[in-house]
Amino acid sequence: PGRFAVGHLGQSLDGRIAIANGASQWVTGPEDVVHNHRMRALFDAVIVGAGTVRHDNPRLTVRSVEGEHPVRVVLDPRRRLAAHFGVFTDGAAPTLLLCDAALARPGARLGQAEVVGVAADERGLAPRAVLDCLAGRGLVRIFVEGGGVTVSRFLAAGCLDRLQITVAPVILGSGRPGIVLPEIERVTAALRPATRRFALGEDMLFECRFDG
C-alpha cells in the first residue's frame, strides 16, 4: 500500500486547541477521545510534537477500542525532552524520538525510545523527511495527532492526505491556535478542500480531503 497521512486536531469554536499554558485536556468531548484511539488503531504510526508530550504527557496507545498500538513517534528537533515522560518509559509500544540529524548518534536512546536523526531546518524537522524516514521502516500509514504546530507544518508541506478537525461547542477566548499557515493576501487563495462532517456527541468533526 502507498503512503497515507492523516492529521487531527480538536479545537474550540474560536479555533483554540489549548489555553495559554498549553493545557488541552479536554477541549473536545469523550467521543472525540474514542475516535482518536480508533484512528491510532488503524495506522502504523502516530506522530506528536515535543510540545504535546511536554504539556499532555500522552500515552498514544489504543485503550478505548480493540486494536494494536501504533509505533509512537515524537518530533523533538532540538532534543529538549527529558526521559521521564510516559511514552519513553512505559514500554507499551515501540517508540521513536526524531530529532535533527546533527544531534543523533547511532544507537542513542531516550529512555526506551530509539533516537533517530532526520533532516531539519530553522523551523524544525522537514515533514517529508519524517515520512521518508518512517517509510524506510515500513511505516506508511501515518496519523499526525498534534499539536497545532506539527499538524500545520505537515499541512503546509503538502504532506497530509486528510485533515480532521473536531470542533467543540466551547469558546476559550484566548490560548493556542489550531491551524496556522503562511499569510495569504486574498480570500481566493484559501484552501477549500472537499469535506465531510460527522457528529461526535456534542462535537462536530470536519474531515478535509487533500488527496483528490
Side-chain angles (χ1 to χ4, degrees):
R3 294 189 191 182
F4 186 65
V6 177
H8 177 277
L9 290 175
Q11 67 178 42
S12 63
L13 283 172
D14 53 336
R16 311 287 182 171
I17 60 170
I19 59 177
N21 67 7
S24 64
Q25 297 178 324
W26 300 99
V27 172
T28 54
E31 293 85 358
D32 189 46
V33 175
V34 173
H35 171 73
N36 251 4
H37 290 194
R38 187 176 296 114
M39 292 295 290
R40 293 172 188 171
L42 293 171
F43 286 78
D44 300 325
V46 55
I47 291 177
V48 295
T52 295
V53 172
R54 185 178 299 111
H55 292 296
D56 295 344
N57 194 19
R59 285 183 276 178
L60 303 178
T61 56
V62 175
R63 301 187 301 281
S64 302
V65 300
E66 295 291 326
E68 299 291 327
H69 299 318
V71 174
R72 304 178 296 189
V73 181
V74 177
L75 307 185
D76 185 14
R78 307 301 171 206
R79 288 196 66 177
R80 292 173 175 165
L81 290 175
H84 65 267
F85 292 101
V87 289
F88 305 134
T89 62
D90 62 17
T95 306
L96 305 175
L97 181 127
L98 271 53
C99 67
D100 186 328
L103 301 176
R105 63 182 187 278
R109 303 190 80 82
L110 183 69
Q112 298 182 36
E114 180 183 353
V115 176
V116 181
V118 300
D121 57 29
E122 67 279 357
R123 294 172 297 164
L125 303 181
R128 207 163 295 279
V130 169
L131 295 181
D132 287 344
C133 171
L134 298 179
R137 293 168 173 260
L139 306 173
V140 294
R141 294 177 58 83
I142 308 300
F143 183 43
V144 186
E145 190 172 316
V149 172
T150 299
V151 173
S152 295
R153 279 181 55 78
F154 274 76
L155 179 59
C159 287
L160 292 181
D161 297 289
R162 308 279 176 91
L163 172 62
Q164 298 179 345
I165 297 180
T166 301
V167 181
V170 60
I171 297 172
L172 295 181
S174 62
R176 304 194 175 195
I179 298 296
V180 178
L181 299 176
E183 185 174 330
I184 58 176
E185 296 183 357
R186 59 190 188 281
V187 173
T188 54
L191 297 174
R192 293 185 184 272
T195 61
R196 299 190 296 170
R197 294 179 295 279
F198 303 90
L200 292 179
E202 294 298 313
D203 303 338
M204 182 65 68
L205 185 150
F206 294 83
E207 182 179 69
C208 308
R209 293 193 59 159
F210 297 98
D211 57 349

